[in-house]
């Protein structure tokens, strides 16, 4: 089975497709028709690769975490996406899509954001490339993520509150889709993860695939072989995981592990563990696993980490789960917090709360002494300091 790319209708096995209102057909059809040709052209790749290197700061290090390795009895490497410009992997995709939008003749960019990381990355790309930028964000998230809202504004973006529903990420996506329907001619929607109608999941996975391309070359240099035994990444929609898995996904000897947000526990009613709680449904333009009631109402997800607080999962990952190609762990808030403090203490790296979910897998999975384990450190923890400080004062 080819797990890497969808078929021509955008399906990974049973998951994917493009379920969109008629008003969006022309936009989505244009993208489907042109995206591969544009992003694979030498002219596009020259500009994109130059920006990744000189603006984003790639390649990011693959760091051998000696202290963590000793503690868990395996060879643990961290892929340092936290060292990218703007602090996470999101910039890889935001820049790629902004370059694509220009070539499609679109000068108005819209985006949705939860924690604000994708909003900041998109506002950054738009400032650099001279594009108008409008970011939809749940009203509650605007209050929770004030520093990122300030960054977006300084970067020249207009931040529009989504006031419907739970006033969080999924409501922001709904608002962004509504905007796109009303402005199809001028506007490109930069979706922030491997979700949405075809071709977005494939488009975003290709822009993030630079992560696994670099891991292969770096492992070859460091240990004389391209393949690790395990790759571990957290999954909200699934873009950092898609990038980490991409060039390994059809190599069965490399084991893939995805960490979802268990929230207060996957059976607690306060969770975002979609592969455990979700059923086949349609959310934001594609068919995938969705947390929903029997009559198809989307259930409110919960996670301490705003970037994983999403009631769905990208179709590539739904297929990896369905085919048992990847193993899924549900990591609860307290486990992620402990993992974040552990990494900080032993390696001097403060991770994003999202990334801490991937790190927490180390407590749950037994590795052999010679195993090579690569964990995607998707982002840095600056934005989560309030949560970390609160945890510190709670445990004292
Ligand atoms: C947004 C975000 C995530 C979750 O998004 P994916 O698309 O699943 O990667 C994970 N880590 C960080 C640091 C993020 O900002």
């Amino acid at each position: 089975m080819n797990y890497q790319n969808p078929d021509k209708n955008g399906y990974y096995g049973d998951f994917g497709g493009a379920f969109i209102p008629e008003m969006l057909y022309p936009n989505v059809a244009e993208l489907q028709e042109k995206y591969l040709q544009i992003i694979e052209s030498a002219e596009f790749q020259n500009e994109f690769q130059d920006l990744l290197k000189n603006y984003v700061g790639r390649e990011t290090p693959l760091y051998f975490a000696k202290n963590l390795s000793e503690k868990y009895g395996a060879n643990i490497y961290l892929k340092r996406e936290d060292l990218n410009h703007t602090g996470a992997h999101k910039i890889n995709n935001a820049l790629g899509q902004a370059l694509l939008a220009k070539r499609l003749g679109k000068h108005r960019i819209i985006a949705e954001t939860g924690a604000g990381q994708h909003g900041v990355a998109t506002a950054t790309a738009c400032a650099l490339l001279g594009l108008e930028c409008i970011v939809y964000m749940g009203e509650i998230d605007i209050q929770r993520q004030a520093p990122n809202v300030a960054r977006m504004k300084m970067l020249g973006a207009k931040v529009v509150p989504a006031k419907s529903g739970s006033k969080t990420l999924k409501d922001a996506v709904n608002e962004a889709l509504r905007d796109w329907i009303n402005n199809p001619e001028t506007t490109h929607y930069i979706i922030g993860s491997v979700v949405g109608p075809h071709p977005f999941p494939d488009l975003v996975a290709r822009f993030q695939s630079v992560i696994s391309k670099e891991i292969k070359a770096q492992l070859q240099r460091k240990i004389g072989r391209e393949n690790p035994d395990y790759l571990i990444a957290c999954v909200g929609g699934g873009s950092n995981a898609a990038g980490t898995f991409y060039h390994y996904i059809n190599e069965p000897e490399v084991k893939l592990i995805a960490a979802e947000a268990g929230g207060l526990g996957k059976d607690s009613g306060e969770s975002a563990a979609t592969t455990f709680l979700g059923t086949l449904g349609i959310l934001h333009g594609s068919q995938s696993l969705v947390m929903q009631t029997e009559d198809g109402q989307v259930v409110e997800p919960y996670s301490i980490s705003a970037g994983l607080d999403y009631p769905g999962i990208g179709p590539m990952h739904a297929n990896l789960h369905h085919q048992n190609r990847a193993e899924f762990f549900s990591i609860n808030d307290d486990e992620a917090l402990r993992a974040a403090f552990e990494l900080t203490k032993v390696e001097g790296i403060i991770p994003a709360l999202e990334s801490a979910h991937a790190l927490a897998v180390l407590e749950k999975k037994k590795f052999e002494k010679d195993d090579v384990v690569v964990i995607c450190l998707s982002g840095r923890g600056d934005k989560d300091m309030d949560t970390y400080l609160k945890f510190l004062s709670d445990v004292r």
Side-chain angles (χ1 to χ4, degrees):
M1 176 142 197
N2 173 13
Y3 296 101
Q4 193 180 52
N5 304 121
D7 67 19
K8 68 177 190 334
N9 297 317
Y11 280 87
Y12 300 81
D14 297 336
F15 308 97
F19 297 82
I20 48 169
E22 221 174 301
M23 296 286 288
L24 281 181
Y25 281 3
N27 270 19
V28 172
E30 184 190 23
L31 260 186
Q32 289 174 354
E33 211 176 288
K34 297 185 178 162
Y35 80 108
L36 280 181
Q37 186 197 323
I38 295 176
I39 71 172
E40 285 176 351
S41 71
E43 186 262 338
F44 181 94
Q45 281 299 324
N46 284 343
E47 188 173 358
F48 186 43
Q49 296 305 331
D50 178 64
L51 286 175
L52 288 180
K53 179 166 189 275
N54 297 303
Y55 186 72
V56 176
R58 304 201 71 94
E59 63 180 28
T60 58
L62 182 70
Y63 167 66
F64 176 63
K66 181 164 161 286
N67 300 328
L68 210 59
S69 296
E70 263 164 30
K71 167 140 200 228
Y72 288 101
N75 302 295
I76 299 169
Y77 291 83
L78 302 177
K79 182 58 174 162
R80 298 289 309 274
E81 293 301 297
D82 61 316
L83 295 178
N84 284 326
H85 180 42
T86 71
H89 65 293
K90 296 250 167 50
I91 190 77
N92 304 326
N93 168 55
L95 265 180
Q97 285 203 52
L99 290 173
L100 173 64
K102 279 196 108 163
R103 284 159 176 82
L104 292 168
K106 316 271 182 189
H107 293 282
R108 183 174 176 273
I109 298 295
I110 56 172
E112 85 295 337
T113 198
Q117 291 299 101
H118 176 56
V120 169
T122 302
T124 298
C126 288
L128 178 71
L129 300 173
L131 298 163
E132 185 185 350
C133 181
I134 296 111
V135 179
Y136 290 92
M137 188 169 187
E139 203 167 37
I140 293 193
D141 290 335
I142 288 181
Q143 291 159 15
R144 288 198 286 198
Q145 309 287 339
N148 274 342
V149 174
R151 283 184 194 109
M152 284 182 261
K153 288 185 175 162
M154 183 158 174
L155 287 159
K158 186 171 159 207
V159 181
V160 181
K163 301 182 178 198
S164 61
S166 56
K167 306 181 175 60
T168 58
L169 179 58
K170 82 170 166 38
D171 312 292
V173 179
N174 289 334
E175 293 293 329
L177 284 168
R178 204 164 298 145
D179 179 314
W180 208 23
I181 290 169
N182 290 326
N183 301 285
E185 304 276 303
T186 55
T187 300
H188 176 70
Y189 178 14
I190 300 190
I191 292 186
S193 190
V194 285
V195 300
H198 175 61
F200 282 103
D202 186 44
L203 180 63
V204 177
R206 284 171 191 265
F207 286 142
Q208 294 293 0
S209 70
V210 62
I211 299 173
S212 50
K213 188 173 159 222
E214 289 178 1
I215 295 172
K216 278 200 158 185
Q218 289 169 317
L219 279 181
Q220 181 67 47
R221 290 202 297 272
K222 282 173 195 283
I223 62 168
R225 63 178 164 106
E226 289 187 333
N227 289 1
D229 297 287
Y230 292 90
L231 288 167
I232 306 177
C234 67
V235 173
S239 68
N240 86 89
T244 304
F245 297 167
Y246 196 84
H247 291 290
Y248 290 111
I249 210 163
N250 291 327
E251 301 190 23
E253 74 273 18
V254 180
K255 299 177 199 79
L256 310 179
I257 296 179
E260 285 187 295
L264 301 183
K266 59 182 190 283
D267 304 315
S268 68
E270 298 288 330
S271 179
T274 305
T275 60
F276 294 93
L277 300 169
T279 50
L280 193 65
I282 291 168
L283 179 66
H284 301 142
S286 78
Q287 172 164 290
S288 190
L289 293 172
V290 182
M291 289 169 51
Q292 56 189 337
T293 60
E294 265 171 35
D295 53 359
Q297 296 284 349
V298 176
V299 171
E300 286 308 327
Y302 164 77
S303 164
I304 193 171
S305 123
L308 303 182
D309 197 352
Y310 185 68
I313 186 173
M316 173 199 271
H317 298 293
N319 189 47
L320 294 177
H321 177 258
H322 185 69
Q323 303 287 345
N324 286 318
R325 172 66 185 96
E327 185 179 4
F328 281 73
F329 283 86
S330 169
I331 303 296
N332 295 346
D333 290 357
D334 57 334
E335 296 166 327
L337 283 166
R338 279 203 303 273
F341 277 85
E342 179 184 72
L343 185 75
T344 305
K345 183 154 177 254
V346 306
E347 298 286 352
I349 300 171
I350 302 178
L353 260 170
E354 291 82 6
S355 321
H357 286 70
L359 293 161
V361 170
L362 292 172
E363 280 284 352
K364 303 214 152 189
K365 181 92 191 165
K366 194 85 196 83
F367 298 103
E368 304 290 330
K369 204 172 120 307
D370 292 334
D371 281 344
V372 172
V373 179
V374 176
I375 303 176
C376 183
L377 201 68
S378 54
R380 66 177 86 126
D382 310 27
K383 68 185 178 53
D384 299 311
M385 287 318 295
D386 281 353
T387 311
Y388 289 152
L389 287 174
K390 180 166 181 309
F391 178 72
L392 268 185
S393 60
D394 284 354
V395 295
R396 276 202 184 131

